[in-house]
Amino acid sequence: RYQQQRGSISASAMPATGGTIRTSAPVVAPMAVGDFKIEKDGDRRWLSVPKPPEQVWPQLVSFWQDLGFTLVKNDAGAGVLETNWAENRAKLPQDLIRKSLGSVLDTLYSTGEMDQYRTRLERTDTGSEIIITHRGMIEVYTTAQKDFTKWEPRPTDPELENEMLSRLLVKLGATETAARAAVNNPVVTTAPPKDRARVVAGQPAATLEVDDNLDRAWRRVGIALDRSGFSVEDRDRAAGL
């Protein structure tokens, strides 16, 4: 959990946030869980649900808050949720000394990595698409003596994006086993050839021509903006803006 915890935490003491974990029966890896479907395009995965954004939005807000994040952007009109920068405490080394002293050392340890997530909710003809993108920062030394540090961007981690999609599925009612299987075995969309984008000269503004349908192009542009850290203030899918 990203939530700032103090003292030891046991899994049995944590409240259930949705779904049931079952381990007694083997599960054939599904590409969909009930009415929910995980789709894939390259290293991008997203969740398709047969519900309008108005019904899904409150569950998304609750999902990030349950994980301990503060939402620094909560824009239902633009369909964008953005979390604060937070440290993944699960990455701290669990050595014998730290296990013994617990909360005393928690304040002294740092992973040197921070994560931020952005959730994009898109309206589709059949319901909604939920896209989660990750941005990371890493703390690096700036001197040979290692007495000063600064934060620098680190590469996007698709595995963390997939992990959050899996947890979101559990929040929406799937079992943990089924959710992970769905993320690991997504429905692969048919991709056009790799050379499918080009800059068009002689236009009044910078113009890029893409050999994709509107749904795919809109999704890819949105993910590219999110992963690059741009902030979307407004959008109009009908007008393509």
Side-chain angles (χ1 to χ4, degrees):
R1 293 175 69 103
Y2 282 86
Q3 192 169 12
Q4 294 298 317
Q5 300 280 7
R6 291 293 178 265
S8 61
I9 301 295
S10 66
S12 60
M14 299 302 290
T17 57
T20 305
I21 299 175
R22 298 179 182 139
T23 57
S24 57
V27 176
V28 178
M31 293 183 294
V33 179
D35 293 328
F36 305 117
K37 181 171 62 175
I38 296 289
E39 298 187 68
K40 176 184 178 182
D41 179 8
D43 65 347
R44 292 162 291 273
R45 285 175 170 81
W46 63 93
L47 176 61
S48 296
V49 299
K51 296 181 180 180
E54 293 79 10
Q55 294 182 21
V56 178
W57 188 260
Q59 294 176 290
L60 292 177
V61 172
S62 174
F63 168 72
W64 290 113
Q65 291 174 340
D66 288 346
L67 286 178
F69 284 97
T70 298
L71 294 172
V72 297
K73 185 167 186 175
N74 185 341
D75 190 340
V80 175
L81 287 170
E82 187 172 279
T83 72
N84 61 322
W85 287 97
E87 184 178 39
N88 188 345
R89 306 296 289 179
K91 291 185 177 181
L92 292 176
Q94 296 296 320
D95 54 65
L96 180 61
I97 295 178
R98 201 171 161 276
K99 286 182 179 179
S100 301
L101 296 181
S103 61
V104 176
L105 291 183
D106 271 348
T107 57
L108 304 178
Y109 272 76
S110 171
T111 64
E113 293 184 1
M114 302 284 280
D115 300 306
Q116 183 184 57
Y117 297 92
R118 185 176 294 178
T119 306
R120 178 180 294 273
L121 181 61
E122 301 278 5
R123 187 185 302 276
T124 66
D125 294 337
T126 58
S128 304
E129 285 182 357
I130 304 169
I131 303 169
I132 297 177
T133 52
H134 165 264
R135 294 176 63 209
M137 299 283 284
I138 187 169
E139 191 176 18
V140 297
Y141 289 106
T142 58
T143 63
Q145 294 76 22
K146 296 186 177 181
D147 50 358
F148 290 98
T149 64
K150 68 175 181 179
W151 289 93
E152 292 183 347
R154 78 178 200 270
T156 293
D157 190 339
E159 291 302 317
L160 283 177
E161 296 172 347
N162 296 342
E163 173 68 20
M164 291 305 174
L165 274 179
S166 175
R167 294 188 182 200
L168 177 58
L169 262 175
V170 174
K171 170 72 175 179
L172 295 175
T175 66
E176 183 176 357
T177 303
R180 292 191 180 279
V183 171
N184 292 331
N185 299 272
V187 176
V188 179
T189 61
T190 303
K194 290 185 178 180
D195 289 334
R196 58 179 182 271
R198 64 204 62 83
V199 174
V200 181
Q203 301 297 315
T207 304
L208 185 69
E209 184 179 67
V210 184
D211 297 335
D212 275 333
N213 59 44
L214 177 61
D215 287 345
R216 192 167 189 271
W218 183 269
R219 184 187 309 116
R220 291 171 64 86
V221 169
I223 292 175
L225 290 173
D226 289 343
R227 285 182 171 174
S228 301
F230 287 98
S231 192
V232 177
E233 301 297 337
D234 194 14
R235 58 180 179 160
D236 185 343
R237 183 177 178 128
L241 298 174

